[in-house]
Amino acid sequence: MSQTQPDGQRKPAIVILDFGSQYSELIARRVRETEVFSLVLGYSTSAEELREMAPAGIILSGGPSSVYAEGAPLCDPEIWNLGIPVLGVCYGMQLMVQQLGGVVEAATGKAEYGKAPLEVDDPTDLLTNVDNGSTMWMSHGDSVKALPDGFVRLAHTANTPEAAVADHNRKLYGVQFHPEVVHSTCGMALIRNFVYHICGCEPDWTTDAFIEEAVALVREQVGDKRVLLALSGGVDSSTLAFLLKKAIGDQLTCMFIDQGFMRKGEPEFLMDFFDRKFNIHVEYINARQRFLEKLNGITDPEEKRKIIGTEFIRVFEEESKRLGPFDYLAQGTLYPDVIESAGTNVDPKTGERVAVKIKSHHNVGGLPKDLQFKLVEPLRKLFKDEVRKVGRNLGLPEEIVRRHPFPGPGLAIRILGEVTDEKLDCLRDADLIVREEIKEAGLYHDIWQAFAVLLPVRSVGVMGDKRTYAWPIVLRCVSSEDGMTADWSRLPADLLEKISNRIVNEVKGVNRVVLDITSKPPGTIEWE
């Protein structure tokens, strides 16, 4: 069986059909942790399309709908006749049961949410090495009342008689819990059983294998043409720069547009790091004044983002024409961007796929259509944690690989209200102190993001026996795995005190430091 599709891209060994679960991407990531390639597709992907892909297995995700509700999302029933092993998770299990002749109803007893001990009735096949009494994460208000012909129970919980089921002959399996979440203690054992023993996959999705394939594909696509990359200094664009340097060498030109909203010393660091230290050609574009003038008098955060995005494209257009011609534009598009932009999510009322747009993805469809570039996007099948592994393998230093995320509009959205030179200087100094002290305390890599926010209000203070009227700085430090949810980081009190003292004493225009202790949700990580 060929591992690649006609376009040269690797075929997925495991396909996840998305029914609107918040965990669909997490299932894909867990499968990839077994070094097996997986992709998330919309639930309406036809059986014929799946037959052409020839995956070794299919996983049906959970979802917010009830399978018996009008307009509930349904998969192509011919999937059951493909002869491909299928694992249904929560909604996916209920859909399997219903379409094959079983019965699913609203739970008449207790619904089950959160941790529950799993009682294993059949410790073979799917549940090999899944400990009896191990914790699994439940989240359902519906239950299976009758199994289809050929199905047997594999496990139960106190409130769920059919917690895991199987038709061994047809290799169809269902679980009424989420094995992919960290709270499910033997969840990875179950996933490995499905991927390796039931589907017969080989662990060949490795960092080395990806780099080898990506380099070959880029060389084949680009040939001897020139490629332009907009470099930000984040892990995505930095990894892409190293990958393209390996693939096409001096055919790559990087452009760094300094819009004036970077952290202190950042532009100088990036130019030294890429251009001089690693011999990756970077064109530095100083557009600071241009961007600042565009934001004059602007206070609305969404308007700020749009102005910065539009101006970035204009600068990029002008400079690419000056430096060009270029045939290809390289973008650090990642797989979550592709999934969200493609809209595999499901409207539980209509059953239709919808794109849930929380933020605009500058890498997916963000550039104007009249730019005459062909896209090079070798990272578009990777998750963020996989990009970090690729970066390390390519020799990207840890100071880049493990950098905290930084928003595209930069400090302009960490200054609430109008952006001015004075506020930018103030925030840069405060932000530097936050990062310095957290690194000095050895906590930088334990925190997802740590930064300062400047509020557009002034409060009274006393410094040197004099009354002050200055800005407050908000300290925002959060812990997270992927940025989708986050909790505020419990920093030691003496560290908080040191940060506060330094900012008030060293940063002109600040007389107060406050701590944001809001989780996400209900708050967001950034303030704007």
Side-chain angles (χ1 to χ4, degrees), residues 118-189:
L118 187 72
E119 301 300 325
V120 177
D121 301 297
D122 180 355
T124 62
D125 211 358
L126 185 68
L127 300 185
T128 301
N129 296 321
V130 174
D131 298 334
N132 189 49
S134 60
T135 296
M136 291 297 177
W137 191 261
M138 313 294 285
S139 181
H140 64 100
D142 295 329
S143 293
V144 172
K145 299 301 180 183
L147 290 174
D149 292 342
F151 275 78
V152 296
R153 174 192 295 175
L154 300 182
H156 66 279
T157 69
N159 293 327
T160 306
E162 314 295 352
V165 301
D167 180 335
H168 292 293
N169 291 331
R170 299 174 67 184
K171 293 190 174 181
L172 303 178
Y173 302 85
V175 294
Q176 193 57 74
F177 51 84
H178 288 281
E180 70 274 16
V181 303
V182 294
H183 308 290
S184 295
T185 53
C186 288
M188 278 304 295

Side-chain angles (χ1 to χ4, degrees), residues 253-257 271 275 281-285 322-323:
T253 296
C254 296
M255 182 194 301
F256 172 61
I257 299 175
M271 291 302 298
D275 203 0
H281 178 57
V282 181
E283 290 283 346
Y284 173 75
I285 312 299
R322 179 180 68 84
L323 298 170

Side-chain angles (χ1 to χ4, degrees), residues 199-341:
C199 299
C201 295
E202 296 292 331
D204 60 0
W205 177 247
T206 64
T207 302
D208 287 339
F210 168 79
I211 292 173
E212 183 179 340
E213 291 174 15
V215 166
L217 284 171
V218 168
R219 287 173 177 168
E220 181 181 356
Q221 179 185 6
V222 171
D224 60 356
K225 304 298 184 182
R226 297 180 69 198
V227 178
L228 178 63
L229 166 63
L231 186 68
S232 69
V235 65
D236 302 339
S237 67
S238 299
T239 297
L240 181 54
F242 272 55
L243 178 64
L244 293 175
K245 178 68 174 181
K246 180 180 179 69
I248 58 174
D250 292 339
Q251 293 169 238
L252 170 67
T253 296
C254 296
M255 182 194 301
F256 172 61
I257 299 175
D258 182 0
Q259 77 308 46
F261 309 134
M262 301 296 287
R263 289 170 287 204
K264 190 164 187 174
E266 190 91 346
E268 296 80 5
F269 166 78
L270 292 176
M271 291 302 298
D272 180 72
F273 181 86
F274 286 97
D275 203 0
R276 290 179 279 278
K277 190 173 182 179
F278 284 95
N279 198 31
I280 296 176
H281 178 57
V282 181
E283 290 283 346
Y284 173 75
I285 312 299
N286 187 343
R288 296 182 182 185
Q289 196 58 37
R290 177 172 176 169
F291 276 84
L292 192 60
E293 288 173 358
K294 289 290 181 180
L295 291 185
N296 184 36
I298 304 299
T299 59
D300 180 77
E302 190 59 28
E303 192 175 356
K304 281 187 200 174
R305 288 179 181 271
K306 289 179 180 178
I307 290 172
I308 293 170
T310 299
E311 197 62 21
F312 184 91
I313 290 170
R314 288 175 180 162
V315 174
F316 186 86
E317 285 179 304
E318 295 170 12
E319 296 300 328
S320 63
K321 289 175 183 176
R322 179 180 68 84
L323 298 170
F326 296 96
D327 296 276
Y328 290 92
L329 172 66
Q331 294 195 129
T333 307
L334 303 191
Y335 193 44
D337 300 340
V338 175
I339 293 172
E340 184 170 307
S341 297

Side-chain angles (χ1 to χ4, degrees), residues 346-420:
V346 180
D347 184 330
K349 294 182 179 178
T350 66
E352 295 296 320
R353 282 189 289 171
V354 294
V356 180
K357 189 172 182 180
I358 298 172
K359 63 178 181 179
S360 300
H361 292 302
H362 63 278
N363 286 331
V364 184
L367 292 173
K369 294 179 180 179
D370 59 354
L371 278 182
Q372 300 302 308
F373 290 121
K374 298 172 185 175
L375 291 180
V376 178
E377 298 178 304
L379 306 182
R380 65 183 286 111
K381 299 301 184 189
L382 299 186
F383 290 100
K384 177 73 81 172
D385 53 341
E386 294 172 318
V387 173
R388 296 185 194 279
K389 292 178 183 177
V390 170
R392 286 191 182 96
N393 191 286
L394 289 168
L396 195 63
E398 287 295 301
E399 60 187 317
I400 297 291
V401 171
R402 301 183 71 182
R403 297 184 99 195
H404 288 180
F406 188 66
L411 299 181
I413 61 166
R414 291 179 179 172
I415 295 174
L416 275 64
E418 184 180 8
V419 179
T420 65

